[in-house]
Amino acid sequence: MNGEEEFFDAVTEANQKVTGRIDLDSSNSSRTGKSGERPPRENGVQKHRTALPAPMFTRSDFSVWSILKKCIGLELSKITMPIAFNEPLSFLQRITEYMEHVYLIHKASHQPQPLERMQCVAAFAVSAVASQWERTGKPFNPLLGETYELVREDLGFRFISEQVSHHPPISAFYSEGLSQDFVFHGSIYPKLKFWGKSVEAEPRGTITLELLKHGEAYTWTNPTCCVHNVIIGKLWIEQYGTVEILNHRTGDKCVLNFRPCGLFGKELHRVEGHIQDKNKKKLFMIYGKWTECLWGIDPSSYESFKKQERRGDHQRKARLDVGPEITSEVAGDAADDVPMAQETVPVIPGSRLLWRVNSRPPNSAQMYNFTSFTVSLNELESGMEKTLPPTDCRLRPDIRGMENGNMDLASQEKDRLEEKQREARRERAKEEAEWRTRWFHPGDNPHTGTPDWLYTGDYFERNFSDCPDIY
């Protein structure tokens, strides 16, 4: 075993048996209708499930400090986490959550002016991370060759993704509008690091959106996501960093700053930025929260409001300074204080609403804080096995076991699948055979020139005869 294989396949004491508090029949599934029948439709639109088969497994009895304390500053792919800290989705399905607010792409394609199109694209880029709010479960690492597809006629898109590399882990995806209005694609390989009390996911890979009617391509990279208090205390999430969205045809750029929460939590969830032309002239200002909404306004009105706000802040400064001091330790066992939720976004007069988050289902807290869109992602409808490739996430037994509440089965299947993956790699090494991806191939991004994974095509022809046996 070479150093690279050892790094990504190390098995630690974290890979332990987990006895679930919920012990449901593993045959319990999310399928609906009689054999061979499609789910019921309402006004010709397919209805999707509104709840998971079993409630979320509690993590309160587990401490990961003994597992993680040796991993400070290292990539978390070096260890195998207990299944209790997962959520019943593959990372490929997590990527698909970009599409929850796909209406913003459709809206962009119908806008006559490039500035209006960029506003929609910026809102889409922010909405893509909104589902991560309060999502503290870790998605399952995809197996090499694993795939996921999603076709949503009601939302006007279809989506395909594949795990194209294991060293390092790379997930490639491709989506297109059913009315041929857009193509959305990219390759994602986040770098996870543990910093003593928090886990940080640094984004890697380029995201590309093409609006076909306008001959425009936009590229960007997601912000950094950080989960705090993974050892003790209440888990909470923040996104931070600068996201730059470039329109490669016009040279227009949108610069979005995802603010770190700050000492008093005043900046928690806040996003501020602007759209500028190729000469760096500011054309439009954007502000809001990635967990709530996004607004936009012209630069002069924005600056005028900010001047008034600064004068008001100066008058209130004395009152703010006497508040309780919040300290943060760099290391140690003390939990990071959970920032107090600030009041909702104050709307500047004359602003335009660009996007608002969908409300979550009332039982979301018992379903890993999934959105309604997310709840449907692992739904296995009756007869779907006949049309899916054998590599689709919905057919993965450890995820299915966890979703059904059978944690023992899920843990056992996860161990079996990981060992099967290692054995397959050992066999390829003996035969000196290279792994061949099925639906994507390495190449250069046509707009940035940087290395990327490009869709090969023909997935929806549904010739799955040469798909690998990974489950």
Side-chain angles (χ1 to χ4, degrees):
M1 181 178 289
N2 61 37
E4 189 177 57
E5 289 174 333
E6 188 175 16
F7 182 85
F8 283 95
D9 289 326
V11 179
T12 72
E13 67 268 30
N15 197 13
Q16 56 187 304
K17 179 179 179 180
V18 177
T19 302
R21 290 187 177 180
I22 305 165
D23 188 13
L24 303 182
D25 183 352
S26 62
S27 64
N28 180 21
S29 76
S30 59
R31 306 174 195 183
T32 57
K34 297 179 181 178
S35 177
E37 291 182 351
R38 301 295 290 176
R41 289 174 174 259
E42 188 175 286
N43 297 326
V45 177
Q46 181 181 321
K47 295 173 65 177
H48 295 275
R49 69 183 185 184
T50 58
L52 298 179
M56 175 180 169
F57 178 84
T58 181
R59 304 183 181 115
S60 60
D61 294 341
F62 291 88
S63 172
V64 293
W65 177 240
S66 61
I67 300 165
L68 295 179
K69 62 184 178 181
K70 299 178 181 179
C71 305
I72 296 176
L74 299 179
E75 287 196 58
L76 289 186
S77 51
K78 189 172 183 178
I79 66 170
T80 302
M81 294 293 292
I83 201 170
F85 293 93
N86 281 34
E87 62 180 20
L89 289 177
S90 169
F91 184 69
L92 297 182
Q93 292 166 310
R94 174 71 81 94
I95 292 175
T96 312
E97 293 180 63
Y98 289 164
M99 309 305 293
E100 179 168 350
H101 301 272
V102 68
Y103 76 89
L104 291 166
I105 299 181
H106 297 310
K107 182 178 178 181
S109 69
H110 286 92
Q111 299 302 314
Q113 299 300 322
L115 178 59
E116 295 169 337
R117 293 194 290 274
M118 179 63 91
Q119 292 170 23
C120 296
V121 174
F124 175 74
V126 173
S127 76
V129 302
S131 67
Q132 295 184 33
W133 176 50
E134 295 187 329
R135 289 276 293 283
T136 54
K138 173 185 174 295
F140 282 70
N141 294 328
L143 302 170
L144 185 61
E146 187 175 312
T147 62
Y148 181 70
E149 73 162 84
L150 185 65
V151 180
R152 289 292 298 263
E153 295 178 5
D154 55 329
L155 300 179
F157 77 89
R158 60 186 186 182
F159 183 101
I160 167 66
S161 57
E162 178 182 8
Q163 190 70 6
V164 295
S165 173
H166 192 55
H167 307 312
I170 302 176
S171 307
F173 69 90
Y174 172 89
S175 181
E176 60 188 17
L178 297 181
S179 57
Q180 287 78 51
D181 55 341
F182 76 88
V183 170
F184 179 56
H185 57 93
S187 50
I188 307 294
Y189 41 107
K191 187 175 183 180
L192 301 178
K193 282 193 174 183
F194 173 58
W195 294 112
K197 292 183 294 184
S198 62
V199 173
E200 186 180 74
E202 179 188 346
R204 303 284 181 91
T206 300
I207 296 173
T208 303
L209 172 64
E210 301 177 24
L211 299 181
L212 303 180
K213 176 183 175 181
H214 302 283
E216 290 180 342
Y218 303 78
T219 58
W220 69 92
T221 300
N222 281 331
T224 295
C225 178
C226 186
V227 181
H228 294 270
N229 295 340
V230 294
I231 305 303
I232 60 172
K234 180 178 173 59
L235 291 166
W236 59 280
I237 291 177
E238 64 174 327
Q239 308 262 1
Y240 46 77
T242 300
V243 172
E244 294 189 351
I245 306 169
L246 177 63
N247 182 333
H248 289 265
R249 185 179 72 85
T250 65
D252 292 349
K253 180 186 291 187
C254 180
V255 181
L256 296 171
N257 295 309
F258 287 71
R259 303 286 192 186
C261 74
L263 186 60
F264 295 98
K266 182 180 179 181
E267 302 296 323
L268 184 65
H269 303 155
R270 291 194 177 275
V271 180
E272 291 183 347
H274 63 272
I275 299 172
Q276 63 186 39
D277 64 17
K278 61 182 179 181
N279 297 316
K280 298 184 178 182
K281 178 184 177 181
K282 291 184 179 180
L283 306 175
F284 196 72
M285 307 302 293
I286 294 175
Y287 65 96
K289 290 186 177 183
W290 60 267
T291 55
E292 291 184 25
C293 56
L294 208 61
W295 296 84
I297 193 170
D298 66 275
S300 59
S301 298
Y302 182 84
E303 289 302 323
S304 175
F305 179 85
K306 284 296 181 181
K307 286 180 181 178
Q308 295 178 10
E309 189 178 54
R310 284 192 290 269
R311 285 197 294 268
D313 282 346
H314 180 73
Q315 295 170 0
R316 293 192 301 267
K317 187 175 185 299
R319 290 199 301 272
L320 289 174
D321 284 345
V322 300
E325 183 179 3
I326 300 176
T327 60
S328 177
E329 300 177 22
V330 176
D333 293 337
D336 287 328
D337 292 300
V338 180
M340 295 295 293
Q342 304 294 313
E343 62 181 15
T344 190
V345 179
V347 181
I348 302 173
S351 295
R352 177 191 309 169
L353 180 65
L354 304 180
W355 160 79
R356 189 180 297 280
V357 71
N358 293 332
S359 59
R360 294 191 177 183
N363 53 349
S364 179
Q366 287 76 48
M367 298 189 302
Y368 305 88
N369 291 308
F370 285 179
T371 67
S372 295
F373 180 84
T374 306
V375 167
S376 70
L377 292 180
N378 204 45
E379 189 174 18
L380 187 59
E381 303 161 2
S382 179
M384 184 180 279
E385 302 98 321
K386 298 177 182 178
T387 61
L388 289 174
T391 52
D392 194 272
C393 301
R394 297 175 183 87
L395 307 177
R396 185 168 162 172
D398 52 354
I399 297 178
R400 183 63 57 191
M402 184 179 192
E403 179 180 279
N404 287 332
N406 194 328
M407 301 298 288
D408 284 345
L409 175 66
S411 185
Q412 293 164 9
E413 286 295 318
K414 180 172 178 285
D415 293 347
R416 182 184 65 81
L417 294 177
E418 290 171 349
E419 179 53 37
K420 183 173 182 176
Q421 182 173 235
R422 286 188 284 269
E423 179 59 30
R425 188 173 60 253
R426 286 192 288 265
E427 288 299 318
R428 289 195 301 273
K430 287 181 183 178
E431 300 171 4
E432 297 183 347
E434 293 286 335
W435 173 263
R436 293 179 57 197
T437 54
R438 183 64 181 85
W439 308 110
F440 293 83
H441 63 275
D444 292 332
N445 185 291
H447 309 291
T448 65
T450 56
D452 205 347
W453 285 83
L454 309 177
Y455 179 52
T456 302
D458 297 332
Y459 174 89
F460 292 99
E461 298 298 319
R462 300 204 175 276
N463 177 12
F464 302 138
S465 58
D466 59 347
C467 287
D469 174 19
I470 60 175
Y471 300 148

